[in-house]
Amino acid sequence: MTTVYNFSAGPAVLPKAVLEQAQAELLNYNGTDMSVMELSHRSSSFVDIIERAEQQLRDLMHIPDHYKVLFLQGGATQQFSMVPANLAKGQKIQYVNTGSWATKAIKAAQVLEDVSVEEIASSKADGYTSVPDFAAEAVDPEAAYLHITTNETIGGVTFHEIPNFDGVTLVADMSSNILANDYNVEDFGLIYAGAQKNLGPSGVTIVIVREDLLKEDTSLPDFFSYATQADKGSMINTPPTFAIYMVGLVLEWVAAQGGQEAMYKHAKERANLLYDYIDQSDLFVNNVKVENRSYTNIPFLTNDPGLDKKFIAEADAAGFKQLKGHRSVGGMRASLYNAFPLEGVKALVEFMKAFEEENK
Ligand SMILES: *Cc1c(COP(=O)(O)O)cnc(C)c1O
């Protein structure tokens, strides 16, 4: 069988060791003779799972005690509405628009009646191939917060430096580069991330929120209130128990690999290997401004849609799976999240070289 490398943007590749552990424990979790899927979320076994997952994330991201960690449902998409509803009622929100996901976040906030939305910068004019410049004066300390998408999963654009303004609360959609960066949690008021890119399977969303931003708001349904979710330990209702268990296993694996610092180092190594080849290639290009290039999602194309299609088909047959670019941009995209092995990038580069040789 050919070796398969999975370049999916999400749900994405998981560490093999984690899948093997889940398999080994599937029918009998920790001597219970029951699967994790069959355990009550109120059982001591599951409470131990969620508490350990939280502690592991705190250790890996160096999350201070005055931040809450929540395990919610609804994906990052639900957070597009939940953050404004909780943090910005009657106030203004500012956004930096770096691409598809930021645009979705903006649209979701615009439908809320009691918040006002201001886009302070956008890279739409360059096809979302950069982080737009914006003047410090454009940032309003009176706004509830400034929202950024730290990594645009479709465009492959990243904030390698986090903008920092005195007295301005920063909210970040970190779905596609959480734990694959060198950010400092204390630079943010709130961070959210769907698990299915860097942290585990789909079904659970991590929210890290500074305690002073939690307000009791009786006009919000409990389920949508961070304050209530925090108060109830993310268990207002039945949480996605198996997904949380899997996130816990992935986080243990990350710790064993050397933690966030090692993940960040590996992410740079993987990405640079691919960018170095693309930049000297006469066939493949990546159009993102060099200093904003993502380490986790690398779009590339040949500038010939027919050739892109051929590449994707031949790559697929050779074991390089899910390399098709997002339908909104076409071309190819290699998503290289934490669990993606370096050998897979080396093999892809060799494959691309051979393809270039044959098709130039
Ligand atoms: C995948 C993704 C989302 C959407 O996540 P869901 O869990 O599917 O709602 C939002 N933002 C970014 C940056 C993403 O990569």
Side-chain angles (χ1 to χ4, degrees):
M1 218 175 90
T2 35
T3 310
V4 163
Y5 292 110
N6 177 5
F7 293 87
S8 172
V13 62
L14 289 166
K16 190 150 208 180
V18 164
L19 293 173
E20 283 166 352
Q21 188 179 344
Q23 182 181 45
E25 295 177 340
L26 191 68
L27 300 185
N28 180 0
Y29 175 71
N30 199 19
T32 57
D33 216 16
M34 293 179 277
S35 167
V36 170
M37 282 181 271
E38 303 171 300
L39 297 175
S40 163
H41 56 297
R42 309 284 176 200
S43 68
S44 59
S45 291
F46 183 73
V47 170
D48 184 56
I49 287 171
I50 194 170
E51 284 178 353
R52 275 193 293 137
E54 175 177 341
Q55 192 55 51
Q56 192 65 261
L57 189 69
R58 286 186 178 277
D59 293 346
L60 289 168
M61 291 181 72
H62 315 292
I63 302 172
D65 288 344
H66 63 288
Y67 284 76
K68 296 284 188 194
V69 175
L70 308 177
F71 295 89
L72 304 182
Q73 301 189 54
T77 302
Q78 177 167 299
Q79 296 310 309
F80 294 163
S81 314
M82 196 164 163
V83 186
N86 277 264
L87 267 51
K89 211 166 244 180
Q91 287 177 276
K92 180 168 79 177
I93 312 168
Q94 296 192 309
Y95 285 84
V96 179
N97 191 347
T98 40
S100 305
W101 289 113
T103 302
K104 286 197 172 149
I106 291 166
K107 287 200 172 132
Q110 277 168 336
V111 305
L112 298 175
E113 276 175 11
D114 40 11
V115 302
S116 74
V117 169
E118 186 191 1
E119 190 178 288
I120 61 164
S122 169
S123 50
K124 190 172 184 187
D126 67 23
Y128 297 119
T129 54
S130 68
V131 171
D133 287 328
F134 54 94
E137 301 83 72
V139 179
D140 182 358
E142 297 298 310
Y145 58 86
L146 174 66
H147 181 283
I148 64 170
T149 307
T150 52
N151 184 78
E152 285 284 354
T153 318
I154 295 171
V157 169
T158 298
F159 281 88
H160 291 295
E161 301 292 331
I162 297 301
N164 211 333
F165 305 98
D166 264 353
V168 174
T169 300
L170 205 57
V171 169
D173 177 358
M174 218 177 268
S175 294
S176 49
N177 72 339
I178 191 166
L179 283 177
N181 60 63
D182 64 348
Y183 306 150
N184 179 359
V185 171
E186 285 190 272
D187 288 343
F188 303 91
L190 188 148
I191 293 166
Y192 61 92
Q196 69 273 22
K197 279 126 191 180
N198 277 296
L199 298 171
S202 60
V204 62
T205 307
I206 307 292
V207 174
I208 301 164
V209 55
R210 214 173 57 217
E211 268 169 5
D212 61 278
L213 296 171
L214 299 176
K215 297 180 233 72
E216 293 297 341
D217 179 349
T218 49
S219 71
L220 271 181
D222 276 352
F223 195 76
F224 296 109
S225 157
Y226 292 130
T228 313
Q229 287 284 8
D231 194 43
K232 303 283 185 199
S234 310
M235 290 214 224
I236 289 175
N237 71 331
T238 317
T241 53
F242 197 75
I244 293 169
Y245 157 75
M246 289 296 293
V247 167
L249 295 187
V250 170
L251 295 175
E252 276 173 31
W253 176 86
V254 169
Q257 304 300 304
Q260 169 160 347
E261 293 74 13
M263 291 298 105
Y264 179 57
K265 184 168 159 272
H266 296 160
K268 279 196 284 192
E269 276 168 13
R270 283 188 300 259
N272 287 332
L273 198 62
L274 187 49
Y275 286 127
D276 285 349
Y277 164 64
I278 290 173
D279 285 345
Q280 59 80 58
S281 164
D282 295 322
L283 183 64
F284 297 103
V285 290
N286 164 281
N287 291 321
V288 177
K289 189 175 171 188
V290 172
E291 52 274 40
N292 302 141
R293 282 174 164 180
S294 169
Y295 295 146
T296 45
N297 303 99
I298 301 170
F300 58 96
L301 62 160
T302 65
N303 285 321
D304 172 350
L307 207 49
D308 287 350
K309 216 172 153 197
K310 182 171 183 233
F311 176 83
I312 292 161
E314 290 182 11
D316 183 81
F320 303 97
K321 300 292 180 184
Q322 314 203 63
L323 268 171
K324 196 168 188 291
H326 191 268
R327 59 190 182 279
S328 63
V329 291
M332 285 72 76
R333 170 176 51 172
S335 293
L336 308 175
Y337 298 126
N338 287 339
F340 195 93
L342 184 64
E343 312 86 74
V345 186
K346 288 183 180 160
L348 176 65
V349 167
E350 289 313 311
F351 181 82
M352 289 168 75
K353 278 182 189 163
F355 185 88
E356 178 170 354
E357 196 55 39
E358 279 163 32
N359 294 278
K360 68 183 179 195

